[in-house]
Amino acid sequence: MSTKAGTRLEQVLKAGEFAVTVEVGPPKGPNANAVIDKARMLAGIADAYNVTDNQTAVVRMSSIAASKLLLDEGLEPVMQMVCRDRNRIAMQSDLLGASALGIRNVLCLSGDHQKASAGGKLKGHPGAKNVYDIDSIQLVSVVAGLRDRGVQEGGDPITEPAPFWIGAAWTPLAPPTAFRVHRLAKKVMAGADFVQTQAIYDLSAFGHAMAQAVDMGLTEQTFILGGVIVPKSAAMLRYMHRSVPGVVVPDVLIERMAQATDPLKEGIEITLELIAGLRAMPGVKGVHLQAIESEHLLPEIVQAAGLLPRPKGA
Amino acid sequence: MIIAEWKPIAEVVARLKGHRKILVAGCATCVAECAAGGEREVESLAPLLRMALAQQGCAAEVVTATLERQCEPEFIETLFPKMEGVDAVVSIACGIGIQTLGDRFDPVPVYPGVNTTSLAVREQPGVWAVRCEACGNCVLGETFGLCPVARCAKSLLNGPCGGTRENGKCEVNPDVDCIWLKIYERAMARGKLEALLGVQPTRNWSNSRHGGQKVMIREDLRA
Ligand code: SF4
Ligand code: SF4
């Protein structure tokens, strides 16, 4: 199999296996054990593990450092990188450093604005000076330049190509929905090898967006993983529907959670149905699972979904 | 026009302690339009400063003047007669006016009485909205006349982030339209969606403030 970066995620996808990625949020502190403990809990259940980059503009352990800690535990990281905090010089420097450490998957994001935290439980840094020198699509092309042409964005050569497997995000159900598939196409054009979507709860609406992506030939050029966030209560679903951009939760699902005697059990049930729905959907090549602050639920879920054991990687 | 808004009085007063004669200087152009620094605002700020200073035991004489334009040296000349004995100036013009005054009256300190915020339009009475960051590399021709540099919270150049709200507002501010949604709608209305489908490459920001101080020279106009 010819590969661009040779990551396990790349190999699993190219082998035609249904891929599993899960999210590992780094701690708000300097202790490596916080990452190592999570790594041990989640080992073996996924092909790669997304490490977020100061999500909602709250300071956490750097994505590079936490990714390296995962590597040391034998887990393959997907290092997320947002455009909010660094200009193109810092980003490329971090990318070269990450590559030197053995980090091979990178997910390119515009990132939550620094004011995003002000709406949540944490204070974050709404007064910070932001950067947004380049946007997520341009970041994809910058990483592709480091890999495919061995050049920096400014045109200077690097000593040797940096082998990355390049990811991007897709929020298919945010307005203007008719434009979203075109924006996905731009990411593919810029060089996105794989795509993880915003959390899907409305399978039929997502199915419609996927059909467009299939029609446009995008699923031939990139691997799309459907996003799933494990729901834990009706209140959480209502909150996400109302407040999380691009997340659309059908009323029946909220109602179902509200009626449930054991909401957590029901949430796992719903997660399994979503995974099955995504698995059956033309063009979808894997799932990206998140269990915010409840990562311990993930091994059981992946097992119950019939996705274990994971195929052997390189 | 350039818009500005009053600084908190306490911040201005803190600067003025110890001065004996203070000139409050307004500008009758942009900042008058946005009701921050015109004659009316000068005449309402002066008594507030007098009172606040007196309350803090630093009573000072406060005189006032409003120029047609504080950004042009010719207008500033007319202020000289008023400067007799003045040992501090509070300017409520935009940052350009404040600096021009400061250079001309050096070493008398000229303090800002306003925060200059941006280049904006009056959308409706009492509402000003930023339209331009003076980025020095205008993209309005590609974005159907709507500026993503100034009006998108992330200055995105390749379309909307995933945060556009159901009602079309920006994820960062529920009172502000997602400008990329507006750009998309205008493209559609004009039957020009294809204009938004290409990948916009990384941008040269060096003619923005990121290139250091900008100086524009027109040789044909130089004396
Ligand atoms: S692109 Fe630059 S110059 Fe043009 S309106 Fe926007 S900020 Fe102003
Ligand atoms: S919602 Fe629209 S205006 Fe706001 S940051 Fe995203 S793209 Fe920019």
Side-chain angles (χ1 to χ4, degrees):
Chain A
M1 169 193 319
S2 94
T3 60
K4 292 175 173 172
T7 69
R8 177 200 176 93
L9 180 62
E10 177 180 11
Q11 292 179 20
V12 165
L13 285 165
K14 285 186 171 168
E17 301 275 359
F18 191 74
V20 178
T21 56
V22 303
E23 191 154 297
V24 182
K28 289 197 296 293
N31 193 332
N33 289 326
V35 181
I36 293 168
D37 290 349
K38 272 192 195 176
R40 292 189 178 154
M41 182 172 73
L42 300 174
I45 69 158
D47 304 306
Y49 298 79
N50 274 54
V51 183
T52 49
D53 180 8
N54 298 308
Q55 74 264 34
T56 70
V58 170
V59 172
R60 292 169 185 273
M61 184 186 290
S62 74
S63 186
I64 297 181
S67 292
K68 169 67 171 153
L69 291 170
L70 290 188
L71 269 180
D72 291 347
E73 287 298 308
L75 273 56
E76 180 173 295
V78 175
M79 182 182 84
Q80 298 193 179
M81 182 175 264
V82 301
C83 300
R84 177 192 58 232
D85 306 322
R86 310 170 181 82
N87 72 3
R88 66 192 81 175
I89 300 170
M91 283 178 152
Q92 292 179 96
S93 163
D94 281 352
L95 285 162
L96 297 183
S99 189
L101 293 172
I103 296 163
R104 295 279 179 269
N105 302 306
V106 56
L107 185 82
C108 306
L109 303 165
S110 294
D112 297 321
H113 190 274
Q114 73 272 19
K115 276 191 186 162
S117 52
K121 280 183 286 184
L122 297 164
K123 287 201 194 72
H125 296 82
K129 185 174 184 180
N130 72 26
V131 184
Y132 292 116
D133 174 23
I134 59 178
D135 65 27
S136 57
I137 294 174
Q138 294 163 345
L139 177 56
V140 168
S141 69
V142 169
V143 184
L146 293 177
R147 180 190 68 194
D148 300 333
R149 287 176 288 117
V151 289
Q152 302 179 7
E153 188 274 336
D156 290 335
I158 55 176
T159 53
E160 59 192 280
F164 284 110
W165 178 243
I166 308 170
W170 182 31
T171 307
L173 304 183
T177 43
F179 187 64
R180 294 291 164 182
V181 75
H182 295 295
R183 197 162 136 86
L184 173 65
K186 285 201 200 198
K187 294 189 173 186
V188 174
M189 237 186 285
D193 300 306
F194 71 99
V195 169
Q196 292 170 322
T197 76
Q198 176 58 286
I200 305 300
Y201 289 104
D202 189 333
L203 282 171
S204 82
F206 179 60
H208 179 71
M210 271 309 295
Q212 288 179 298
V214 172
D215 281 348
M216 286 169 65
L218 299 176
T219 49
E220 300 298 312
Q221 301 166 61
T222 196
F223 295 93
I224 299 178
L225 282 65
V228 176
I229 299 180
V230 180
K232 290 188 287 186
S233 65
M236 173 182 168
L237 282 180
R238 265 188 225 108
Y239 170 81
M240 285 198 290
H241 181 67
R242 231 189 10 249
S243 307
V244 180
V247 176
V248 178
V249 188
D251 285 341
V252 287
L253 225 53
I254 298 176
E255 197 45 38
R256 194 174 141 192
M257 280 298 268
Q259 299 295 326
T261 43
D262 184 347
L264 199 56
K265 200 159 151 262
E266 196 68 24
I268 293 174
E269 199 50 48
I270 289 172
T271 303
L272 293 172
E273 290 170 21
L274 289 169
I275 294 174
L278 290 168
R279 218 171 159 178
M281 197 176 285
V284 176
K285 305 290 168 49
V287 279
H288 176 55
L289 287 174
Q290 300 174 53
I292 298 155
E293 285 163 39
S294 300
E295 283 99 340
H296 63 278
L297 299 173
L298 290 173
E300 172 195 342
I301 289 172
V302 180
Q303 173 75 52
L307 292 167
L308 288 182
R310 298 308 308 149
K312 284 263 171 287
Chain B
M1 67 185 170
I2 299 176
I3 59 165
E5 55 193 5
W6 274 18
K7 278 185 177 289
I9 297 284
E11 186 186 328
V12 182
V13 168
R15 290 253 169 253
L16 294 174
K17 282 183 193 160
H19 292 295
R20 289 174 319 279
K21 185 172 177 187
I22 297 154
L23 171 69
V24 178
C27 174
T29 311
C30 302
V31 287
E33 276 298 309
C34 70
E39 184 161 18
R40 247 187 341 176
E41 292 74 36
V42 166
E43 296 309 331
S44 47
L45 179 60
L48 289 175
L49 291 179
R50 247 176 243 129
M51 236 158 31
L53 283 164
Q55 262 171 15
Q56 302 195 11
C58 319
E61 185 186 350
V62 179
V63 296
T64 62
T66 301
L67 299 179
E68 203 49 47
R69 274 191 244 156
Q70 242 184 69
C71 53
E72 304 272 1
E74 300 87 80
F75 290 98
I76 292 177
E77 298 307 316
T78 66
L79 254 189
F80 271 86
K82 284 251 179 191
M83 286 300 289
E84 186 62 44
V86 166
D87 63 351
V89 178
V90 174
S91 166
I92 53 176
C94 75
I96 305 292
I98 301 169
Q99 292 184 59
T100 314
L101 218 59
D103 284 350
R104 197 67 190 84
F105 292 155
D106 185 54
V108 177
V110 177
Y111 301 118
V114 294
N115 292 317
T116 303
T117 47
S118 41
L119 307 182
V121 67
R122 192 175 62 151
E123 270 190 340
Q124 43 176 287
V127 179
W128 287 270
V130 174
R131 288 287 182 271
C132 175
E133 301 278 358
C135 77
N137 191 358
C138 197
V139 300
L140 290 176
E142 289 110 73
T143 56
F144 299 90
L146 301 164
C147 175
V149 174
R151 301 176 71 179
C152 164
K154 303 175 186 174
S155 295
L156 301 182
L157 294 168
N158 273 297
C161 75
T164 319
R165 294 171 191 245
E166 273 314 302
N167 62 2
K169 299 295 179 184
C170 171
E171 81 169 315
V172 177
N173 183 343
D175 300 323
V176 168
D177 290 327
C178 166
I179 199 60
W180 267 109
L181 176 60
K182 296 279 161 206
I183 294 170
Y184 167 75
E185 286 171 350
R186 220 176 246 187
M188 290 301 278
R190 296 186 191 173
K192 296 239 168 80
L193 178 62
E194 72 281 357
L196 300 182
L197 301 184
V199 174
Q200 292 298 324
T202 51
R203 201 178 123 83
N204 180 357
W205 294 101
S206 67
N207 199 24
S208 176
R209 66 170 181 83
H210 309 278
Q213 192 195 358
K214 281 189 268 190
V215 178
M216 266 74 53
I217 298 176
R218 281 269 308 268
E219 288 298 344
D220 56 326
L221 299 178
R222 296 187 83 179

